[in-house]
Amino acid sequence: MDGDAHAGEGKPLADGFLRFLLPAPKPRPAAPSAPARLVPPHRLIAPPLPTPRLRPEERLLIVPPTRPDWLPLPSPRSPPSAPSPGTAAKPRPFPPRSEPWTRDAGRFVGNGNCATGRSSAAFLANGRRTGFQRPKAAAPQKEKKAWVAVEKKDEDAGDKVRAVVSEGYSSRDEGGVDVEEQLELESEPERGGHRRLLDREDNVKNSLAMAGNQECPDKGGGERPSEHLMSQSNQAPRFQSRMRRWQVECRHDIDNFTPGLLALYESLKPSEEHKSKQKQLVDSLAKSVSKEWPNAQLHLYGSCANSFGTSHSDVDVCLEMEIGTASTAEVLLTLAEILRNDNFENVEAITSARVPIARMSDPGSGFSCDICINNFFAVANTKLLKDYAQIDQRLLQLAFLVKHWAKLRGVNETYRGTLSSYAYVLMCINFLQLREPKILPCLQAMEPTYTLNVDGTKCTYFDEVHQLHDFGAENKESIAQLLWAFFRYWAFHHDYRNDVISVRLGKTISKQEKNWTTRIGNDRHLMCIEDPFETGHDLGRVVDRQTIRILREEFKRAAAVLQYDDDPCVTLFEPYDYEL
Ligand code: CTP
Ligand code: MG
């Protein structure tokens, strides 16, 4: 084992972190030749399987890869009628009833207008309902709500512009309009039109003001918690002005939903029994591995080790071993054979992935487990996330809720063009780094106390996080406010066209700076999330022309649910149902 090659100058890899020592090594012949140089892994996501093994309930939640059955073929766009200057366009139902293929992100079950007709009690992760009561301030309204889309007239905008804006992502992306152009329009409401989700029951004028369609007065808003502006130190003046325009107050009763959200968060945390089953799985895996590679060491990575694991998370294991002249693929094929002989189920070696893995499931616990070889970037970023999680508990709360939301809304499938759990956690960290006052620091910008050398790249940051427990104390935002602001940020504030989010720098940086503006065929960076250590790796690269729309529509839906719905703790997590 070449421990020095990876453990670097800082604390050694085996420093109690995620290390499971295998049984005492047996004597074995010396390795025939020098250790192979491993190419640094870039990602851990396997390529699409021909028939993904999904549990029946998961099948309901997947995002269609390209054009799903429920999307009709694109039809030619008819020119929209231009509203008279200075007036808002006539509101139209959202989603338009004439477009049944629309993702339906604006239809809310909690308002009684959803076909699934679920009751208003919030769902907990264990399938039970929360005991929390619907807050009095948000007493159920009997009237049927409808959600409408409102286009804002822009005097400079031509017909084409309005046509683009009015369509959302519903299906017509192949209609000849450049996706980046559309993203630009959506993210720059002052230059183009824009669409807002509004409650028809409200006076439209008031609603427009509430939704930030008009300049928000600077006053503190009385007792209403107002949305904090993100740190703007690195923003261009034009962007700052846009951010001011979108400064919106969240609903005055938002904190009534904090107990429900926290109850949901608690229910998502893995139980002690779950953790002990995970440990049993890792122990039996260690036994199997030691038969062939007695010096190998197991590191847990991913959510089972970074504190972001829920009761639905799988087990991710990295084997640290010398593989000599063998290729990683050969090692994984041998490993798969061993695991099959040891009665693990559904064993397969996925060797064509950028980060090859062996995958299997444990018959006892039913847990699924991914095993990779010498992927130390993953081990390093696992520790980084774990350390961030210890600074402020609101990160864990936010990330659990966002991950849960993403799974239920079908936007957590990298092989279908949406984002990984890891990407969502980075989005949460960066969001909390950008709050004002900040809730999280930027650990990689501080004096390094931890270093792991991975194939020449120094993964280094300040890891003495026990010194930072009060870091976010000045910011008093509740989880309900933060969740709302998170979705608003990704729905309306983030500059998709120009910006990359960077946990490494604790801010957003420009795509130009990363040289992520180039287009190679359809392979564009539509949503950019920099990996904190493999900085050339964009975690948003999986997002394509269709899924960027799906994601943004879901962010908008989530923000609107939290802003206006009677029972957002239920409605927000309503599983996306393609049958609707
Ligand atoms: N990872 C990575 N680069 C990626 C994706 C993932 O380095 N592009 C590593 C990270 O260490 C991440 C781990 O792989 O924590 C597992 O990522 P993911 O599959 O997104 O899931 P989890 O974080 O494990 O979340 P969960 O299983 O709970 O969905
Ligand atoms: Mg995992």
Side-chain angles (χ1 to χ4, degrees), residues 451-521:
T451 303
L452 181 69
N453 248 341
V454 184
D455 291 326
T457 300
K458 275 190 184 177
C459 303
T460 180
Y461 68 95
F462 180 81
D463 76 336
E464 294 178 4
V465 287
H466 57 274
Q467 297 178 25
L468 299 170
H469 281 160
D470 287 338
F471 184 89
E474 213 187 309
N475 185 312
K476 305 286 183 213
E477 287 174 290
S478 68
I479 187 59
Q481 290 169 37
L482 288 170
L483 192 62
W484 170 79
F486 175 86
F487 287 123
R488 273 199 65 83
Y489 173 76
W490 285 100
F492 303 117
H493 295 192
H494 182 71
D495 187 350
Y496 287 80
R497 187 183 175 88
N498 296 308
D499 283 353
V500 177
I501 65 156
S502 171
V503 165
R504 173 179 62 101
L505 299 171
K507 61 181 186 178
T508 55
I509 51 180
S510 82
K511 285 190 195 178
Q512 300 280 355
E513 197 174 314
K514 300 286 306 180
N515 199 19
W516 282 352
T517 49
T518 47
R519 299 176 183 194
I520 310 157

Side-chain angles (χ1 to χ4, degrees), residues 24-30 294-295:
K26 292 177 195 159
R28 67 192 310 237
N295 289 328

Side-chain angles (χ1 to χ4, degrees), residues 44 301-303 313-314 316 381 403 407 420-422 537 539:
L44 293 164
Y301 73 96
S303 63
S313 295
D314 60 357
D316 300 301
N381 66 42
K403 273 175 68 172
K407 282 186 203 311
S420 65
S421 300
Y422 176 52
H537 182 204
L539 289 150

Side-chain angles (χ1 to χ4, degrees), residues 53 281 336 338-348 358-369 371:
R53 285 181 296 103
L281 166 58
I338 293 169
L339 296 174
R340 268 184 215 113
N341 292 339
D342 286 350
N343 297 323
F344 287 105
E345 288 178 348
N346 305 314
V347 180
E348 55 190 332
R359 176 169 287 167
M360 54 97 162
S361 55
D362 176 33
S365 60
F367 291 153
S368 142
C369 178
I371 307 153

Side-chain angles (χ1 to χ4, degrees), residues 107 245 298 345 548:
R107 199 173 278 179
R245 274 173 192 252
L298 272 67
E345 288 178 348
I548 188 77

